[in-house]
Every structure is written in structure tokens, then in C-alpha cells.
């Protein structure tokens, strides 16, 4: 059973120290905090934050090095406080300030709880509620003089227990709790060394680069500049002595179907690879002239020079007609001759897609796995030009074992054709935009699929009712890659998962016992990942087959529930009536009407962008959330303009999404047609009684002073004033696996709750249990008020 996660939090609290005013040139004072405690951490920034992690056979050593800069004309001083989950144990903890070691002490749970309660009750700041029930480590820190800096280093070691070969490392971060400026620089490097072979490496939170040095060592890197870290860094890796590793993660809320994630990863190097046939179908029409043609040739050369010894291949070049490298498939010994053929290709003539694909079908051997790479930059102008008819002819001619992977170059391609070809033949479609290089995209893709180890795969879940699995068609497995599957399940329990497939025509079966679909709790990122893939699949189905009321309604419901941007998501911000099924149905009807009035085009920049976006969602390996800013402050690629508002109006807490409506953070699971909230007075006795009974509610209440949340069969609305004298407790087992991961987004507060949050840095936690974010302003705020008042009194 998964143990409690370990979390280490670094807190810097601002203590106001006012200097005596000079007669000639007065020194600016810190904000006057007497009265409503409304602060901003102007002038405190982090020049860099560098995190280096070494995981040696599950023992993780985390070293955090960060430079705090005080840009103010007054001194900042404070303490560090590290709240820990109950039961967490740190084997080694070292802290330095400007290279000098400092001592730390542990505050026991009750002592730390007094601090949390004091802040929430007296300063009316609910952001600390997610730390209910935790211990804390406390250490003194030297002051930071005006216009000066402090280098803070922390190193800690803890064990990452393995759950059936699955190991989870996490580094919590929410720096805008203590500074209102982005980090100048952030880097996170994780080196994993294991005596057991490492299989899958997966981050649901960050786009990371992974370097594999054999089967027993890997380095995972992340780096960003001018960045506001708005979600915790999470990394999963799996170890297994099997040739193909398989690991299960799951999440389930009481009374609802569960969500699961399956990681399937073969070894980096295998004893036997599947002999395959590769057919490269290249567009050499006149529109490919120039740089596109040169890049296409480079991509073709890469493919033919990276064949395996038992592979066969051919090149089909098409324009007005078709040219074949050879009339039949060639062996790997003909590579040099093929390179000369590719180098002599010229861009001239029309675009005969149908003849080219039919030639590829004729070359295919139904007894061997066949990979067809189809690259084009335009519409069919020769042969069969009617898209439905072309698709029908190709599908009839292609053997079932052939996989078509399409690459649309530029914005003048037929996205309907390319996506349909890939879907019909269990491949994928990719789009090379005008600002991308053809050779880089094709070669990177082929490198992933060049070494197949298991074809025609199937999964059996040992009696557990599994449905809505994405991708809907299981791809083949390739050495050095990993397959990430997301799906739903009815009820929890133990299961033996069986993976089957073929290796060079021979059936192979792998059984994985001791997997458990959780009955409650789990990894809360999975529902949003599943919803991202589901929406991507549904969008593609609408693009390929036309509008469908049921599909549109499903997209609307999923988008609202999980806060995911889609072409229909302006209502996340603009519409008021989304908290009822009646309102959501009305939105879907409006979308259908708009789609019927203006059908989406299948070609052009907009069509390519939509196809690429839907494809990216359908294949997403991380949950899609509301978009973030790039380093230059512009929206990330593909972001809708509505994101400008969404960034401040949407928050994620575990698997839940909250939208800000009239000052209230509203749970998107709320249905006003059928549910009635119970009013709970903010910071009232009933408020704290609820948190005591169900500590997970603290994660939701931490969003602000006014929150509406659906939890455990009840609906609670935190209100100003006293609220109800007594409320019904949630109908869940709060002693078991019901923990909900706390927010990965920064808690948002208004009015008197806009307190500055202190500097904080965190350690890791173990997989499967709540991940704690950064700490808000704690005890030192109270001390700061006292000191500031004393200083003012002396000055008077």
C-alpha cells in the first residue's frame, strides 16, 4: 500500500523593519499593514532556482539552490518553515544560507497545527488549509538587506517506495505564493540509477527531455526562463526484469467510475526485433520545389539509412505520375543505390495521390508488418481527386497489416484525407507547419518506430470492466519507446493484466499479476488526462464525419468539467449558465447550429491548426489545462484568445476544476438543477469541524474565502458570515484512500485574503498520496505586525 508522501516547504515571510526617515531623502517604507492585512511581495524575486535530484535505487537526494533578491529599499527577514505530511521521515536534511550551514528543528503536528489555525482564524487567509494535519521543520534565516541577495540551499534525502515496480518523484512548487514576479531561471535535473532495468519514464506535469544511457541509467531534464511555475513537477519511472514492463495507475471517486493510466514500455535494447517493410511515399510535385524538396530528400535519406538488417523497403515518388525506386521491395543492401535515387528526384508536375498509395498497397506483403510513410504538401490534382472515393479505393486495396503514417507539409493539404488515411490504417497523422523542418519531424518520428518488438497487440484486464480506452486502436510497440493508455473502469479490485501480440509471426503473451484498480483515491491527474484524450478523439470524429449532437454534448460536458480548452470553450468564461445540465445542453445546441451554418474547411491554415490540435489532444501524454504564458508573455502556440481571461478564472484542485463566478470559486461538478448547497460560514466552528472530519476539504477551501464544492455526496458553499449552525458530513471513508491531491495552481484570494505569501521551497512526496503545494503566510506575519507597530510607536 502506498505510503504517505514527503513534502518539504520553504517559507520566506516578510517582516517589516522601517528605517528612520532622512531629512534630505526619505527612504520608502514597506506597506502599512495595520488594518486589513493586504500585502504584495513587490521587490522580492528569485534570480534562479536549480534543482538537482539523484535517485539511486529509490533513494532520492534533492538539492535545491536558489538566489533570493531583495530589490526593495528596506530589509526583509524571516524564517523557513517546512510542513510535512503525517508520518513523513527525512533521513538527512541540510540547509545553508550563503554557504553557511544552519540548524533546523521539527515542530510536532499539534504545534504546527496551532500556527495554521492562528493564521486562518486571525488573518482570514484560507491558503494554509491544505497543510492540516502536518508536522513542520523550522529554521532561522538571516535578514536580506535592501538591494541585496541571499543564496538558500537545501538538501534532503528520502526513500521512494516502489509500488509494483512504479516509482514516483515529486517536487512541489508554487512560487507566486511568495513572489509576484516570474523566476528568472529554473532548471530541474533528475538522474535515475537502478539495479533493475528502467522501463517507462513519464512526466504528467512538464515537457521534459530524457536521455537513456542503457537500461539502468536515465537523465531527465527541464529548463525554462522567465517562468512562473504553476504546477508541481512530477516524474514517474518504472523498473522491471521483464522484456516489456507494464504498470498501472488509477484514480476513483466514491460513487463514480474510475480512471486509469497504463504505462507499457519495452526494453531499450531487445534480443529480437520484428522484421518489417518500409515504404516511403514522397510528393515530388511542383509545389515541393525549393527548401521543402531538400528537406523531404533529407528525411528520405534518414529513413533508408536507418533500416534494420532484416528490413525491406521501397521509395514511391509521385507527381503527375509515379516513379518507384524498384518494382519490388528491396533489401537493406540496396541503401546506397536508394540514396542516389532520392538525390536525383526533382519537384515537377501535379499531385497524383491515389496512384501513389495504390502502388504502395500493391508493394505490401500481407505476411510482414508494413510501415507506409506518406508525405505530401497539397491536394490531389491527378487521378482520383474526390476525397471519399480516394479513401474508399485505398482502404479496399491496403492489407490489414499496413500502417499509414501521414505527414502534411504546409497549410494547403487536405486534412480530412490525411487524418482519414491514418485512422483507417491504424497510423497517426502529423503536420509540418511552415515554421517547421520536414526532415527533423520525419526523422524524429521514424527514430521512434524503427525497432518494432510486438505487433498487433491486445490487452485483457482480467475481468475488470474497462471501457473508453484511448487511443482507441492500440499501436505496435517499439524498442526504447513507451505506450501511454488512458481509460475508465467500473469498480476497483485486483487484476492480472495480459498483453499479447506477435513477434515475426509468432504469438507472444505477457501476464502481469498484482495490479490493483483503486476503489477510492489515487493519482488525481488521470481524469484530466483521460478527458484531454477523449476530447481530442471526439473532435477528430466530428472533423471526419460531420457534426453529431451527442459528440458535441460530450465535448461540452468534458470541457466544462475538466477545464480544457476546445474550439467551443468561450463559454467557460463568458457563459453564466454552465452549472446546470440544462445550460450545458443549450450551449451544445448553439454549437451545432453554428457548425451547420458554417461547416469547417478541410484545407487551409485554420483547418491544419485544428487537425494538429485535435491530434495532439488525442495523443497527449500529460493533462491539458488552461494555457500558460511563454517567456515573452504571449500565449503558447495554439492558444485561444479566451485564455487571457481563463488564466485568472480557472483553478485545478486534484481532479476538480473551479471557475471564478462573482467572487465564488465554483466546482464544475455542481449541477444547480439537482443539487442544493449547504452554507458554511468562513472560519466558523462548522467550517473547521468539516475540515477536521474530512481533511481533503482543506485543499478546496484553500482556494479562497468563498468556495462551492461537491464532495462526498454533499455540496458545501463557504460564505461570509456564520452560515448554517450544523452541516451534514461527507459520505466518504475519510480514513482510507480518499485523499485528494491539493491544488497544483496557486490559490486565489480576494479582498482581505490577498496577503503576500512567503518564499517556499519543497521536497518530494511518494506516489499515490496528496502532493502539497507551497505554504502561504504563517506565524511571522503576526510577528511582523507587532514589530512594525512597535517601530511606528518609537518613531512617534
Amino acid at each position: 500500500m502506498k505510503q504517505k508522501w514527503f513534502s518539504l516547504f520553504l517559507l520566506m515571510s516578510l517582516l517589516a523593519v522601517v528605517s528612520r526617515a532622512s531629512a534630505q531623502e526619505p527612504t520608502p517604507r514597506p506597506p502599512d499593514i495595520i488594518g486589513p492585512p493586504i500585502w504584495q511581495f513587490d521587490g522580492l524575486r528569485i534570480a534562479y532556482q536549480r534543482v538537482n535530484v539523484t535517485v539511486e535505487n529509490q533513494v532520492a537526494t534533492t538539492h535545491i539552490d536558489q538566489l533570493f533578491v531583495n530589490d526593495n529599499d528596506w530589509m526583509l527577514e524571516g524564517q523557513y518553515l517546512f510542513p510535512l505530511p503525517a508520518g513523513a521521515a527525512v533521513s538527512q536534511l541540510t540547509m545553508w544560507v550563503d554557504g553557511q550551514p544552519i540548524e533546523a528543528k521539527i515542530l510536532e503536528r499539534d504545534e504546527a497545527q496551532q500556527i495554521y489555525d492562528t493564521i486562518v482564524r486571525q488573518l482570514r487567509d484560507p491558503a494554509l488549509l491544505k497543510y492540516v494535519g502536518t508536522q513542520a521543520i523550522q529554521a532561522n534565516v538571516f535578514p536580506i538587506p535592501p538591494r541585496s541577495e541571499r543564496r538558500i540551499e537545501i538538501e534532503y534525502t528520502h526513500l521512494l517506495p516502489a509500488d509494483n515496480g512504479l516509482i514516483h518523484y515529486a517536487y512541489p512548487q508554487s512560487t507566486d505564493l511568495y513572489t509576484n514576479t516570474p523566476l528568472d531561471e529554473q532548471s530541474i535535473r533528475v538522474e535515475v540509477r537502478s539495479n533493475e532495468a528502467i522501463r517507462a519514464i513519464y512526466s504528467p506535469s512538464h515537457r521534459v527531455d530524457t536521455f537513456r544511457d542503457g537500461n539502468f541509467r536515465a537523465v531527465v531534464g527541464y529548463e525554462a526562463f522567465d517562468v512562473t511555475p504553476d504546477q508541481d513537477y512530477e516524474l514517474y519511472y518504472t523498473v522491471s526484469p521483464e522484456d516489456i514492463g507494464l504498470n498501472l495507475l488509477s484514480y476513483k471517486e466514491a460513487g463514480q467510475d474510475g480512471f486509469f493510466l497504463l504505462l507499457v514500455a519495452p526494453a531499450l535494447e531487445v534480443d529480437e526485433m520484428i522484421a518489417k517493410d518500409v515504404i516511403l511515399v514522397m510528393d515530388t510535385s511542383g509545389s515541393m520545389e525549393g527548401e521543402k524538396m531538400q528537406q523531404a530528400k533529407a528525411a528520405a535519406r534518414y529513413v533508408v539509412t536507418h533500416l534494420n538488417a532484416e528490413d525491406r523497403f521501397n521509395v514511391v515518388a509521385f507527381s503527375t505520375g509515379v516513379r518507384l525506386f524498384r518494382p519490388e521491395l528491396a533489401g537493406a543492401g540496396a541503401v546506397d543505390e536508394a540514396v542516389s535515387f532520392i538525390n536525383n528526384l526533382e519537384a515537377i508536375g501535379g499531385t497524383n495521390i491515389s496512384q501513389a498509395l495504390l502502388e504502395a498497397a500493391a508493394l505490401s506483403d500481407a505476411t510482414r508488418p508494413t510501415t507506409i510513410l506518406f508525405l505530401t504538401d497539397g491536394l490531389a490534382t491527378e487521378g482520383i481527386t474526390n476525397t471519399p472515393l480516394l479513401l474508399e479505393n485505398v482502404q479496399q486495396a491496403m492489407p490489414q497489416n499496413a500502417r499509414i503514417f501521414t505527414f502534411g507539409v504546409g497549410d494547403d493539404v487536405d486534412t480530412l484525407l490525411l487524418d482519414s488515411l491514418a485512422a483507417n490504417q491504424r497510423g497517426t497523422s502529423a503536420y509540418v507547419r511552415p515554421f517547421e523542418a520536414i526532415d527533423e519531424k520525419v526523422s524524429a518520428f521514424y527514430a521512434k518506430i524503427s525497432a518494432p518488438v510486438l505487433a498487433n497487440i491486445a490487452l485483457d484486464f482480467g475481468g475488470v470492466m474497462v471501457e473508453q480506452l484511448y487511443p482507441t486502436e492500440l499501436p505496435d510497440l517499439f524498442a526504447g519507446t513507451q505506450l501511454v493508455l488512458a481509460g475508465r473502469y467500473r469498480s476497483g479490485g485486483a487484476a492480472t493484466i495480459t498483453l499479447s501480440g506477435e513477434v515475426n509471426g509468432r504469438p507472444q503473451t505477457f501476464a502481469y499479476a498484482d495490479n490493483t484498480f483503486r476503489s477510492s483515491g489515487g493519482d488525481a491527474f488521470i481524469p484530466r488526462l483521460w478527458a484531454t484524450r477523449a476530447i481530442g478523439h471526439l473532435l477528430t470524429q466530428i472533423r471526419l464525419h460531420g457534426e453529431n449532437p451527442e459528440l458535441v454534448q460530450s465535448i461540452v460536458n468534458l470541457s466544462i468539467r475538466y477545464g480544457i480548452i476546445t474550439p467551443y470553450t468561450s463559454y467557460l468564461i463568458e457563459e453564466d449558465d454552465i452549472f446546470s445540465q440544462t445550460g450545458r445542453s443549450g450551449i451544445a445546441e448553439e454549437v451545432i447550429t453554428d457548425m451547420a451554418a458554417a461547416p469547417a474547411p478541410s484545407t487551409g491554415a485554420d483547418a491544419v491548426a485544428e487537425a494538429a490540435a485535435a491530434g495532439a489532444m488525442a495523443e497527449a501524454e500529460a493533462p491539458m489545462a488552461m494555457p500558460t504564458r511563454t517567456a515573452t508573455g504571449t500565449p503558447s502556440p495554439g492558444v485561444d484568445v479566451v485564455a487571457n481571461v481563463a488564466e485568472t478564472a480557472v483553478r485545478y484542485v486534484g481532479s476538480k476544476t473551479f471557475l471564478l463566478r462573482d467572487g465564488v470559486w465554483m466546482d464544475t461538478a455542481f449541477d444547480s438543477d439537482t443539487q442544493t448547497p449547504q452554507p458554511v460560514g468562513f472560519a466558523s466552528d462548522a467550517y473547521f469541524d468539516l475540515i477536521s472530519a474530512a481533511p481533503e476539504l482543506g485543499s478546496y477551501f484553500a482556494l479562497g474565502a468563498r468556495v462551492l464544492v461537491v464532495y462526498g455526496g454533499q455540496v458545501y458553499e463557504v460564505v461570509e458570515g456564520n452560515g448554517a449552525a450544523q452541516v451534514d458530513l461527507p459520505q466518504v471513508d475519510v480514513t482510507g484512500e480518499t485523499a485528494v491531491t491539493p491544488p497544483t495552481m496557486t490559490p486565489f484570494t480576494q479582498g482581505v485574503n490577498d496577503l503576500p505569501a512567503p518564499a517556499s521551497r519543497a521536497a518530494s512526496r511518494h506516489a499515490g498520496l496528496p502532493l502539497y503545494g507551497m505554504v502561504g503566510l504563517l506565524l511571522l506575519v503576526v510577528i511582523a505586525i507587532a514589530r512594525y507597530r512597535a517601530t511606528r510607536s518609537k518613531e512617534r
Side-chain angles (χ1 to χ4, degrees):
M1 187 175 182
K2 294 183 179 179
Q3 299 180 5
K4 295 285 184 184
W5 294 353
F6 168 80
S7 296
L8 176 61
F9 296 89
L10 171 60
L11 169 65
M12 172 162 280
S13 295
L14 180 60
L15 299 185
V17 178
V18 181
S19 301
R20 188 175 299 274
S22 168
Q24 287 80 19
E25 185 176 358
T27 302
R29 295 172 179 267
D32 190 338
I33 57 172
I34 297 176
I38 303 175
W39 281 12
Q40 294 292 330
F41 262 103
D42 294 328
L44 176 64
R45 64 183 175 87
I46 300 176
Y48 64 75
Q49 181 189 88
R50 298 162 186 161
V51 183
N52 278 282
V53 184
T54 301
V55 183
E56 182 88 39
N57 294 317
Q58 300 171 224
V59 178
T61 300
T62 300
H63 184 94
I64 307 162
D65 183 359
Q66 51 192 349
L67 186 67
F68 288 86
V69 180
N70 179 10
D71 290 327
N72 294 301
D73 290 325
W74 55 84
M75 182 178 294
L76 304 179
E77 60 177 305
Q79 294 184 356
Y80 292 96
L81 191 67
F82 304 85
L84 301 172
V90 180
S91 60
Q92 295 180 17
L93 172 66
T94 309
M95 298 179 62
W96 300 266
V97 175
D98 291 338
Q100 299 299 315
I102 63 173
E103 294 184 358
K105 77 167 190 173
I106 294 180
L107 300 176
E108 293 302 326
R109 174 175 173 172
D110 291 343
E111 189 176 1
Q113 186 67 52
Q114 280 187 323
I115 295 175
Y116 305 150
D117 287 351
T118 297
I119 296 297
V120 174
R121 289 181 183 272
Q122 294 187 7
L123 297 185
R124 303 185 66 80
D125 180 2
L128 305 181
L129 293 176
K130 53 184 167 289
Y131 307 112
V132 168
T134 66
Q135 293 177 304
I137 297 174
Q138 187 182 53
N140 294 324
V141 173
F142 295 167
I144 307 179
R147 305 295 175 182
S148 298
E149 58 190 32
R150 280 285 182 268
R151 182 183 180 193
I152 310 297
E153 295 177 84
I154 305 172
E155 183 171 288
Y156 58 89
T157 299
H158 69 298
L159 180 67
L160 305 177
D163 180 8
N164 200 25
L166 176 71
I167 297 121
H168 182 203
Y169 174 84
Y171 177 72
Q173 54 183 10
S174 295
T175 57
D176 51 354
L177 275 176
Y178 54 87
T179 178
N180 55 12
T181 60
L183 277 69
D184 294 356
E185 170 195 339
Q186 183 185 46
S187 63
I188 302 176
R189 180 184 186 273
V190 182
E191 180 177 353
V192 179
R193 297 192 291 265
S194 174
N195 290 335
E196 283 193 271
I198 301 169
R199 295 297 182 236
I201 299 177
Y202 171 69
S203 174
S205 61
H206 289 68
R207 294 186 63 180
V208 297
D209 182 56
T210 302
F211 169 74
R212 303 289 296 266
D213 183 14
N215 286 323
F216 302 95
R217 177 179 177 271
V219 178
V220 183
Y222 166 79
E223 186 173 295
F225 298 91
D226 191 22
V227 61
T228 301
D230 56 5
Q231 60 178 329
D232 303 310
Y233 177 90
E234 296 188 77
L235 185 71
Y236 293 82
Y237 71 93
T238 68
V239 295
S240 174
E242 304 290 338
D243 289 337
I244 300 176
L246 183 147
N247 294 86
L248 175 72
L249 294 85
S250 60
Y251 177 84
K252 192 174 189 300
E253 294 183 11
Q256 299 182 23
D257 289 351
F259 301 83
F260 72 91
L261 185 73
L262 201 65
L263 299 174
V264 185
L268 193 64
E269 300 172 355
V270 294
D271 295 331
E272 182 180 13
M273 286 186 293
I274 298 173
K276 66 181 183 301
D277 295 336
V278 179
I279 302 172
L280 182 58
V281 182
M282 290 179 58
D283 187 343
T284 60
S285 62
S287 59
M288 289 288 292
E289 179 66 37
E291 186 178 7
K292 286 194 291 186
M293 192 63 190
Q294 296 306 314
Q295 291 179 358
K297 288 182 179 182
R301 288 192 295 268
Y302 179 90
V303 172
V304 299
T305 57
H306 286 77
L307 296 167
N308 300 318
E310 301 301 319
D311 292 346
R312 301 183 302 184
F313 76 99
N314 210 328
V315 180
V316 179
F318 69 95
S319 56
T320 302
V322 171
R323 290 182 61 198
L324 274 66
F325 165 59
R326 285 191 176 179
E328 69 286 324
L329 293 170
V335 168
D336 291 342
E337 186 181 347
V339 170
S340 296
F341 173 82
I342 292 168
N343 289 339
N344 291 327
L345 292 174
E346 295 181 355
I348 188 171
T351 308
N352 197 332
I353 292 175
S354 60
Q355 186 180 355
L357 290 173
L358 292 174
E359 288 284 359
L363 289 168
S364 301
D365 183 344
T367 65
R368 285 166 60 103
T370 300
T371 297
I372 298 175
L373 304 179
F374 173 55
L375 187 152
T376 183
D377 77 332
L379 309 175
T381 60
E382 304 284 349
I384 303 174
T385 58
N386 178 271
T387 296
L389 184 59
L390 193 160
L391 288 169
E392 182 181 350
N393 277 263
V394 172
Q395 188 169 13
Q396 290 178 355
M398 282 288 173
Q400 289 187 351
N401 65 307
R403 306 284 186 265
I404 297 182
F405 301 93
T406 65
F407 294 87
V409 180
D411 292 337
D412 296 326
V413 294
D414 185 344
T415 60
L416 178 62
L417 172 65
L418 298 182
D419 289 352
S420 297
L421 285 171
N424 292 344
Q425 296 301 136
R426 296 177 63 182
T428 58
S429 56
Y431 293 90
V432 185
R433 304 307 302 276
F435 49 84
E436 296 178 311
I438 302 170
D439 51 335
E440 293 178 2
K441 197 139 189 176
V442 174
S443 59
F445 172 79
Y446 183 74
K448 296 178 181 179
I449 66 165
S450 61
V453 297
L454 193 66
N456 300 319
I457 69 172
L459 287 164
D460 181 89
F461 291 90
V464 174
M465 181 65 72
V466 166
E467 55 194 0
Q468 300 181 72
L469 185 66
Y470 299 105
T472 55
E473 296 287 346
L474 299 181
D476 299 335
L477 284 181
F478 303 92
T481 67
Q482 59 197 35
L483 175 60
V484 180
L485 304 172
R488 304 291 307 266
Y489 64 95
R490 297 283 181 86
S491 57
T496 295
I497 301 175
T498 302
L499 170 69
S500 60
E502 296 179 355
V503 178
N504 291 321
R506 304 188 311 273
Q508 295 283 330
T509 300
F510 305 86
Y512 304 88
D514 301 324
N515 286 287
T516 301
F517 289 85
R518 287 177 174 270
S519 298
S520 61
D523 298 279
F525 74 89
I526 302 176
R528 187 166 290 109
L529 172 59
W530 174 86
T532 298
R533 289 194 169 190
I535 289 174
H537 173 75
L538 295 172
L539 287 172
T540 298
Q541 294 303 303
I542 290 174
R543 288 184 56 255
L544 299 184
H545 306 295
E547 65 270 13
N548 179 300
E550 291 184 359
L551 299 187
V552 171
Q553 185 69 66
S554 295
I555 291 173
V556 168
N557 290 343
L558 289 173
S559 178
I560 292 174
R561 173 64 180 83
Y562 296 103
I564 298 172
I565 286 287
T566 77
Y568 319 136
T569 52
S570 63
Y571 51 78
L572 278 175
I573 308 304
E574 299 169 356
E575 294 287 343
D576 293 326
D577 191 19
I578 65 172
F579 296 100
S580 69
Q581 188 55 50
T582 301
R584 292 190 285 268
S585 297
I587 292 170
E589 291 175 3
E590 291 180 12
V591 171
I592 288 290
T593 301
D594 293 343
M595 292 173 65
S602 63
T603 187
D606 289 345
V608 172
E610 289 182 12
M617 293 178 71
E619 299 172 10
E621 293 196 358
M624 183 171 290
M626 286 297 173
T628 58
R629 300 280 106 180
T630 63
T632 59
T634 57
S636 303
V639 171
D640 194 286
V641 293
V642 73
N644 294 331
V645 183
E647 288 179 13
T648 58
V650 181
R651 292 292 181 270
Y652 304 107
V653 184
S655 66
K656 288 183 175 293
T657 301
F658 290 81
L659 303 180
L660 188 62
R661 286 290 186 274
D662 298 325
V664 181
W665 286 104
M666 303 278 292
D667 186 348
T668 57
F670 175 60
D671 186 346
S672 62
D673 287 343
T674 60
Q675 296 174 318
T676 302
Q678 301 181 65
V680 181
F682 174 66
S684 65
D685 290 341
Y687 181 86
F688 286 103
D689 288 344
L690 266 179
I691 296 172
S692 177
E696 297 80 11
L697 281 172
S699 301
Y700 307 126
F701 290 175
L703 286 170
R706 298 190 62 195
V707 179
L708 185 149
V709 60
V710 180
Y711 182 80
Q714 307 291 336
V715 181
Y716 303 107
E717 182 175 5
V718 179
V719 299
E720 296 290 350
N722 295 325
Q726 186 175 359
V727 295
D728 296 330
L729 295 179
Q731 301 170 2
V732 294
D733 177 13
V734 297
T735 63
E737 297 176 325
T738 57
V740 178
T741 302
T744 58
M745 300 290 289
T746 303
F748 180 88
T749 54
Q750 291 186 310
V752 298
N753 300 299
D754 281 337
L755 290 174
S760 145
R761 228 348 118 221
S764 172
R765 61 174 175 86
H766 174 54
L769 293 171
L771 174 62
Y772 293 80
M774 296 300 162
V775 180
L777 194 61
L778 294 183
L779 181 62
L780 294 183
V781 175
V782 180
I783 302 173
I785 295 173
R787 288 192 179 182
Y788 184 58
R789 285 175 171 169
T791 303
R792 289 286 298 273
S793 177
K794 290 179 181 179
E795 289 183 339
R796 294 191 183 106

